């Protein structure tokens, strides 16, 4: 049974930083591309926004327009982990953040339907 568990969320002030972690179990992490999505308050699951993604080998990354230059995704396959370093946080970054796994390991997809497995999410709140 595949399981993705996020951690590291919390309350932070504008301009601050947080590092999210996601531990993956029950699947061979090196066979999957991994991404982070976020769901803003009041939005539906289908409206989750793509934040960043990384291919199975870590060689390629991609980011949503609003976070480019501020967020960095990375992974450690030996530890079954994927990370999201978030810097210069803004109030509009407030959301529940989810990690997700895509069996098309070279694909960094922005559509939620391309992901087979999801975590339960971790709340990030940025206060002004």
């Amino acid at each position: 049974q595949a399981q993705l568990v996020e951690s590291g969320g919390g309350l932070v002030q504008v301009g601050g930083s947080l590092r999210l972690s996601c531990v993956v179990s029950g699947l061979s992490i090196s066979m999957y591309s991994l991404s982070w999505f976020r769901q803003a308050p009041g939005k539906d699951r289908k409206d989750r926004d793509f934040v960043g993604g990384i291919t199975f080998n870590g060689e390629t990354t991609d980011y949503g327009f609003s976070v480019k230059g501020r967020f960095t995704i990375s992974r450690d396959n030996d530890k079954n982990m994927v990370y999201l370093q978030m810097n210069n946080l803004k109030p509009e970054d407030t959301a529940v953040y989810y990690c997700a796994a895509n069996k098309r390991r070279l694909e960094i997809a922005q559509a939620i339907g391309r992901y087979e497995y999801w975590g339960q999410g971790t709340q990030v709140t940025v206060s002004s």
Side-chain angles (χ1 to χ4, degrees):
Q1 182 78 7
Q3 190 172 17
L4 286 70
V5 180
E6 304 93 337
S7 62
L11 176 65
V12 63
Q13 291 188 333
V14 169
S17 298
L18 280 176
R19 188 193 195 206
L20 305 184
S21 300
C22 175
V23 59
V24 181
S25 61
L27 55 83
S28 180
I29 188 174
S30 62
M31 301 296 289
Y32 288 77
S33 73
L34 298 168
S35 292
W36 288 93
F37 286 77
R38 65 188 182 187
Q39 185 171 339
K43 294 288 188 73
D44 292 334
R45 182 183 186 277
K46 62 179 175 61
D47 297 320
R48 287 181 185 176
D49 291 325
F50 173 78
V51 175
I54 188 167
T55 53
F56 75 104
N57 54 7
E59 289 188 354
T60 303
T61 59
D62 191 21
Y63 296 93
F65 177 79
S66 63
V67 307
K68 279 183 179 177
R70 299 188 297 124
F71 292 11
T72 303
I73 189 171
S74 62
R75 64 189 292 161
D76 185 335
N77 287 348
D78 291 337
K79 296 181 178 179
N80 294 327
M81 298 290 294
V82 61
Y83 306 98
L84 185 69
Q85 177 66 43
M86 307 187 295
N87 298 329
N88 190 22
L89 283 160
K90 305 176 180 182
E92 52 264 40
D93 294 318
T94 294
V96 178
Y97 284 71
Y98 299 88
C99 64
N102 177 356
K103 66 182 179 182
R104 305 158 198 82
R105 59 182 189 167
L106 286 173
E107 177 184 78
I108 302 175
Q110 300 198 9
I112 65 171
R114 301 293 283 177
Y115 292 83
E116 288 76 25
Y117 302 105
W118 292 81
Q120 292 300 305
T122 186
Q123 175 72 48
V124 172
T125 303
V126 184
S127 66
S128 56

